[in-house]
Amino acid sequence: MKIVIIGPGAMGCLISAFLSKSNHKIWLLDKDRERAERINQQGIIIEGISGNWQAKVNITTNVQEIGTADLVIMAVKSYDTKQAILNARSLIGQESAVLTLQNGIGNIEILSEVVGSERVIGGVSNQGATLLGIGHIRHAGKGETIIGRIDGKIPVQIRFIREVFNSVGLETRISRDIKGLLWSKLIINVGINALTAITRLNNGRLIEFEGTRKILREAVTEAIKVAKRKRIKLIYDDPLAKVEAVCEATAINISSMLQDILRKRRTEIDFINGVIVRQGQELGIPVPVNTVLVDLVKTIETSYHLRIEG
Ligand code: PAF
């Protein structure tokens, strides 16, 4: 089987490195020639909870070199999903499946538009990875990967992914309610990502300070109201307590959005708090806290060049 991972960010590198332990053909597709060249020479370097190790992967910027793939795994930022899958259309053959483990809500819909919903598999990964440099990551946390299709069906490709992932040590199970799962993860990101990006604090700090704890609770409460109105079944009995528990469990993490801000990059705010703002407005549910969070993060990500450095 041929598996292609698109995007050598933290998650793309982690998944590629682990999958390279399988007996399948693994390709990493990059859009940046210099970066691809470097990863080709050095491999992927991993440190952290799975030890210090290196993985050799096939990497290319030329999608034609790969041919068609059995499985394509999207590991680009959500705002690049559309362009990345359009560029990679030649990977899609009769039987190909496309898996997204990206943050936020909207990727399944974007991918479905391009390749057809019957091919698209969604999921969440609770693995933690931080990009330390080109092709160099810290494996910061181990956790389950949960995958499924929006219609709840479990075709053979989903079982294949579960088998391959489990065989290389990426603990994976299947869910029939992927929407509930994605929204449950969304609510965690709504509470943590924007606030850590604005305050430049580690996840754990958000619940240590009265101000951030209050804003976190309000942002999450708005998101829960939107999810409830949409009749989405969240997987946690007490989602607010869960977000605070994740802050504790990932206390020293630098959230993915704060990593983007520190690297002066665009963030995934439109796919996280932006979803709550848009859907809240559509449903007539007030979402003032998420609106402020979105406006602040958007201001930060478009004004790096104007920042006063102290
Ligand atoms: O985006 C992230 O950083 C992660 O999803 C989470 C759970 C907030 C931990 O840092």
Side-chain angles (χ1 to χ4, degrees):
M1 294 279 192
K2 199 189 290 171
I3 304 176
V4 182
I5 298 98
I6 306 185
M11 216 44 174
C13 283
L14 184 81
I15 294 172
S16 309
F18 271 87
L19 289 181
S20 72
K21 298 180 183 182
S22 75
N23 50 15
H24 298 285
K25 179 97 179 157
I26 310 300
W27 277 97
L28 190 47
L29 180 63
D30 194 1
K31 61 178 181 189
D32 183 324
R33 204 168 284 177
E34 255 176 58
R35 182 171 58 187
E37 187 51 41
R38 173 100 170 261
I39 295 176
N40 194 31
Q41 281 164 6
Q42 73 178 32
I44 294 172
I45 304 165
I46 299 107
E47 57 186 77
I49 51 167
S50 52
N52 292 341
W53 52 293
Q54 229 155 322
K56 198 90 189 114
V57 291
N58 306 293
I59 182 163
T60 184
T61 54
N62 177 10
V63 66
Q64 307 297 338
E65 197 182 329
I66 305 177
T68 55
D70 297 287
L71 174 64
V72 175
I73 303 176
M74 301 303 294
V76 296
K77 292 287 182 185
S78 301
Y79 50 77
D80 278 335
T81 300
K82 178 106 185 229
Q83 200 51 54
I85 193 68
L86 283 173
N87 292 346
R89 256 186 309 194
S90 64
L91 295 176
I92 309 297
Q94 285 284 331
E95 305 293 328
S96 312
V98 180
L99 170 67
T100 161
L101 297 173
Q102 297 155 284
N103 265 344
I105 299 286
N107 290 296
I108 292 183
E109 292 75 4
I110 294 171
L111 292 169
S112 298
E113 253 177 52
V114 179
V115 301
S117 60
E118 68 289 353
R119 294 183 189 286
V120 181
I121 299 163
V124 299
S125 164
N126 294 312
Q127 296 284 346
T130 310
L131 196 63
L132 300 177
I134 291 178
H136 182 185
I137 56 167
R138 177 180 304 121
H139 189 188
K142 267 188 199 165
E144 258 192 335
T145 298
I146 312 170
I147 56 172
R149 234 167 69 162
I150 218 80
D151 60 8
K153 289 186 183 157
I154 305 181
V156 61
Q157 290 102 328
I158 294 195
R159 296 181 204 279
F160 165 72
I161 298 169
R162 180 183 56 186
E163 248 167 62
V164 179
F165 274 44
N166 278 321
S167 73
V168 296
L170 297 170
E171 192 194 337
T172 299
R173 69 179 168 89
I174 298 171
S175 162
R176 284 188 190 273
D177 181 16
I178 210 70
K179 202 168 196 175
L181 201 74
L182 286 171
W183 271 79
S184 303
K185 175 85 192 289
L186 174 75
I187 279 173
I188 292 172
N189 291 130
V190 161
I192 298 177
N193 291 34
L195 261 179
T196 49
I198 294 163
T199 58
R200 298 192 171 214
L201 292 172
N202 296 102
N203 296 357
R205 299 282 180 214
L206 296 182
I207 51 170
E208 283 176 20
F209 296 94
E210 210 181 301
T212 44
R213 190 168 196 158
K214 182 166 161 272
I215 300 168
L216 179 152
R217 287 182 169 170
E218 288 170 354
V220 169
T221 302
E222 289 175 7
I224 294 170
K225 281 186 191 156
V226 171
K228 272 206 178 128
R229 181 75 67 81
K230 289 175 66 66
R231 297 181 188 283
I232 286 164
K233 221 172 138 254
L234 299 174
I235 60 171
Y236 311 115
D237 293 335
D238 185 346
L240 191 51
K242 176 67 189 179
V243 181
E244 295 188 348
V246 172
C247 285
E248 254 175 285
T250 62
I252 57 162
N253 265 37
I254 298 176
S255 80
S256 55
M257 196 173 286
L258 177 52
Q259 289 184 48
D260 288 334
I261 294 286
L262 294 175
R263 269 196 247 109
K264 297 191 163 62
R265 299 267 309 267
R266 186 172 165 192
T267 72
E268 295 183 302
I269 192 77
D270 283 333
F271 292 79
I272 301 177
N273 305 72
V275 173
I276 304 305
V277 172
R278 288 193 300 277
Q279 308 241 347
Q281 283 166 351
E282 262 172 41
L283 297 166
I285 297 170
V287 284
V289 176
N290 279 284
T291 305
V292 170
L293 292 174
V294 170
D295 287 342
L296 282 173
V297 171
K298 279 187 173 281
T299 304
I300 295 172
E301 68 181 8
T302 49
S303 66
Y304 292 125
H305 60 298
L306 300 173
R307 271 196 93 87
I308 298 163
E309 307 289 347

